[in-house]
Amino acid sequence: MRIDLHTHSTASDGTDSPAELIANAAAAGLDAVAITDHDTTSGWAEARAALPAGLRLVRGAELSCRSPDGRGGYCTVHLLAYLFDPDAEAVVADHARARAQRRRRLATMAGRMAEDGFPVDADELLAELPEDSTAGRPHIAMALVKAGVVSTVDEAFERFLNDRGRYYVPSSRTPVESSIETINSAGGVTVLAHAFAHHRGPTVTAEVIKELAGLGMAGVEVDHPDHDAEARARLRALAEDLDLIMTGSSDYHGTNKVLRLGQETTAPEMLDAIAARATGVEIVTAS
Ligand code: AMP
Ligand code: FE
Ligand code: FE
Ligand code: ZN
């Protein structure tokens, strides 16, 4: 059984369309795949329609949240949300607010770069992005690649787009406590994504994870490409201690990142545990 529960499509900052993502998941020999675009469920229908026999689809999303960091301040965390009702009022409102703010933010970042002479046009970038898909820094990065300013998306992040750079604007972040509540109320299940990916920026302490678990967060992503062996060991111990679901996933973004589908995987009993807790929508199999 090969299960990958964290992937992105063109509904946010991946490069595969939802249908291509499903085809690539099947080609990679996966038995189950989750589509977890940032702040949108707009890829769900196309992914479902493309589903071949033998591949199960877990519908989800990845939410950017603001969390206490456990050191007296705050930091960004990403929350994976699975099998929630996409039509729940609070879900629809949260997603719409996040996407609108991300568009304004992309325009601000691109505008600052254009002022400095970079060949990026905010209006052009946004015109190419459907309203129900989610704008992210990788869209600016791809424009810089296309214009020949950098040769890879990674290089664009290293030189211009990382959160220490002069063009960086933070994206909107819902309080993590509120996102957990919204997803739980919509029958979904929440898993903290890449919690100890230290090179991405500040991370939360174990104490914070314990508090979030107390608020109804169901699991933690243990195996993730951005986790070193120590991060995985600490998360695994914490999950065992707190009786949390443990997942492993690639965080595939198509050609925007050098990651393979199924590079990290989730144990079948962990997906069973997610499905058992969810009451929003079901895991889809091809009919
Ligand atoms: P944003 O959500 O707009 O803040 O952009 C963050 C997204 O950019 C993450 O979800 C990743 O998909 C992507 N990302 C972050 N760092 C890098 C990097 N070094 N190379 C490629 N993509 C990255
Ligand atoms: Fe992303
Ligand atoms: Fe993430
Ligand atoms: Zn992701």
Side-chain angles (χ1 to χ4, degrees):
M1 237 354 147
R2 299 188 71 225
I3 299 167
D4 189 340
L5 294 182
H6 184 169
T7 75
H8 297 265
S9 78
T10 49
S12 64
D13 56 5
T15 58
D16 289 358
S17 68
E20 287 164 347
L21 171 65
I22 293 299
N24 286 331
L30 294 184
D31 300 283
V33 66
I35 180 169
T36 54
D37 278 304
H38 300 282
D39 306 307
T40 189
T41 58
S42 70
W44 286 14
E46 185 184 317
R48 178 180 196 152
L51 204 63
L55 178 61
R56 293 191 295 158
L57 173 64
V58 180
R59 290 169 285 176
E62 184 176 20
L63 315 173
S64 299
C65 305
R66 174 179 144 100
S67 172
D69 61 8
R71 301 175 185 88
Y74 289 88
C75 69
T76 297
V77 296
H78 287 177
L79 199 62
L80 291 160
Y82 298 113
L83 304 174
F84 55 88
D85 172 5
D87 300 321
E89 212 172 303
V91 168
V92 173
D94 271 4
H95 282 179
R97 182 160 31 78
R99 288 198 304 270
Q101 195 276 346
R102 277 167 161 282
R103 291 178 87 86
R104 292 195 295 275
R105 170 220 191 199
L106 197 76
T108 307
M109 286 186 70
R112 284 186 192 172
M113 295 193 77
E115 268 175 34
D116 276 1
F118 288 97
V120 287
D121 183 307
D123 294 334
E124 219 171 87
L125 274 177
L126 291 176
E128 284 168 13
L129 272 168
E131 201 72 36
D132 60 359
S133 69
T134 304
R137 282 179 280 166
H139 294 104
I140 301 181
M142 284 186 269
L144 292 171
V145 172
K146 205 169 148 195
V149 176
V150 292
S151 40
T152 63
V153 165
D154 263 328
E155 188 190 341
F157 269 87
E158 265 158 40
R159 291 179 56 193
F160 306 117
L161 299 173
N162 66 73
D163 56 12
R164 296 168 303 281
R166 62 191 247 104
Y167 303 112
Y168 180 71
V169 177
S171 73
S172 107
R173 294 162 303 165
T174 313
V176 64
E177 302 86 349
S178 153
S179 290
I180 292 169
E181 163 66 20
T182 296
I183 295 301
N184 282 347
S185 309
V189 178
T190 52
V191 171
L192 190 62
H194 48 72
F196 289 164
H198 302 290
H199 82 261
R200 285 176 175 237
T203 54
V204 297
T205 60
E207 193 54 38
V208 171
I209 295 180
K210 188 174 176 184
E211 281 164 24
L212 298 181
L215 294 173
M217 184 181 76
V220 286
E221 195 175 49
V222 172
D223 291 311
H224 182 283
D226 291 351
H227 283 160
D228 58 22
E230 192 206 336
R232 292 171 198 233
R234 283 179 59 214
L235 281 165
R236 190 164 281 117
L238 197 58
E240 276 162 9
D241 205 33
L242 300 170
D243 201 20
L244 291 171
I245 293 169
M246 289 181 245
T247 66
S249 302
S250 65
D251 204 354
Y252 174 77
H253 279 72
T255 58
N256 271 352
K257 284 190 183 174
V258 283
L259 300 165
R260 285 170 295 106
L261 277 162
Q263 176 168 335
E264 313 273 359
T265 56
T266 297
E269 55 273 24
M270 293 297 168
L271 178 55
D272 292 346
I274 290 174
R277 282 179 75 125
T279 56
V281 296
E282 303 201 312
I283 296 177
V284 186
T285 44
S287 47

